[in-house]
Amino acid sequence: MMLKENLAAVEQRVEAACRRAGRKREEVTLIAVSKTKPAEMIREIMDCGVKDFGENKVQEMCGKMEEITEPLHWHLIGHLQRNKVKYIVNKAYMIHSVDSVRLAQEIQKEAVKHGVTCSVLIEINIGGEETKNGIPKEEAMDLIREVSKFPNVKVKGLMTIAPPVEDPEDARGYFQEMKALFEAVKAERIPGVEMEELSMGMTGDFEVAIEEGATMVRVGTAIFGARQYGTAEQ
């Protein structure tokens, strides 16, 4: 598999999307989604200068961090169960999937134990899909206000997975809604909340996401190739 060529092609697409949107390339972090992929493939991408990697499962992420000890930014992008928080709170660079006060409470409790502050994104179910995690956008402001009360949990922005579409253009409206919500939360100036990151866009739609204001895109298949099982692709 030609990983470096794949990465170069994705990088070109990121740069082109930034140009179309009148944005600087450094405004967008490319997260290489390495779930189910072995350490040697991650190392090949690391050799190209990529520092941000995304994993769905706590156990898999912890295993890879033991194998790859170089300083990287590991992003937990999958659903996080409360009983797994203790394994990850002092390891993840950022948790993208906070969608309840109870989860934030658990992160706070474990963060205190480890003496760390944990950066999180609030996950929004922008398409209102029953099969997806995240909260409705109408509940975002209330949840963020509640989470902002936990001193060791730092809200850094929002994350979403847009509904699957055949044509990336069909996802544009969802990304526009997310950007509007992001700006609305930012305008509230909630103490302790730093609205810096808007994590949205995957292999099928990341260019449109960048055009609509994403600061982080989570790309797996276009870099690492297709996965061996039938779950939704990042």
Side-chain angles (χ1 to χ4, degrees), residues 123 125 127-134 161 163-164 232:
E123 183 174 3
N125 185 344
E129 296 168 277
E130 288 180 17
T131 54
K132 281 196 182 143
N133 296 303
I161 301 171

Side-chain angles (χ1 to χ4, degrees), residues 124-161:
I124 309 297
N125 185 344
I126 197 64
E129 296 168 277
E130 288 180 17
T131 54
K132 281 196 182 143
N133 296 303
I135 57 162
K137 66 174 184 177
E138 295 77 17
E139 296 174 18
M141 206 72 81
D142 288 344
L143 178 58
I144 290 167
R145 288 187 191 284
E146 286 301 310
V147 176
S148 73
K149 295 172 186 173
F150 298 123
N152 293 64
V153 183
K154 183 66 72 177
V155 176
K156 294 282 192 177
L158 306 177
M159 178 270 230
T160 200
I161 301 171

Side-chain angles (χ1 to χ4, degrees), residues 5 11 19 25 28 53 76 95 97 126 137 157 164 216:
E5 290 83 351
E11 182 57 47
R19 276 198 304 275
R25 170 62 188 90
V28 180
F53 290 87
L76 187 76
I95 296 170
S97 47
I126 197 64
K137 66 174 184 177
M216 291 179 161

Side-chain angles (χ1 to χ4, degrees), residues 31 63 72 94 103 148 177 191 223 232:
I31 299 172
L72 296 174
M94 189 171 282
L103 177 56
S148 73
E177 283 184 58
I223 296 172

Side-chain angles (χ1 to χ4, degrees), residues 14 20 29 33 39 68 139 148-149 167 181 184 221 233:
V14 170
R20 286 194 297 274
T29 300
V33 178
I68 301 169
E139 296 174 18
S148 73
K149 295 172 186 173
D167 181 350
L181 178 61
T221 305
E233 295 291 2

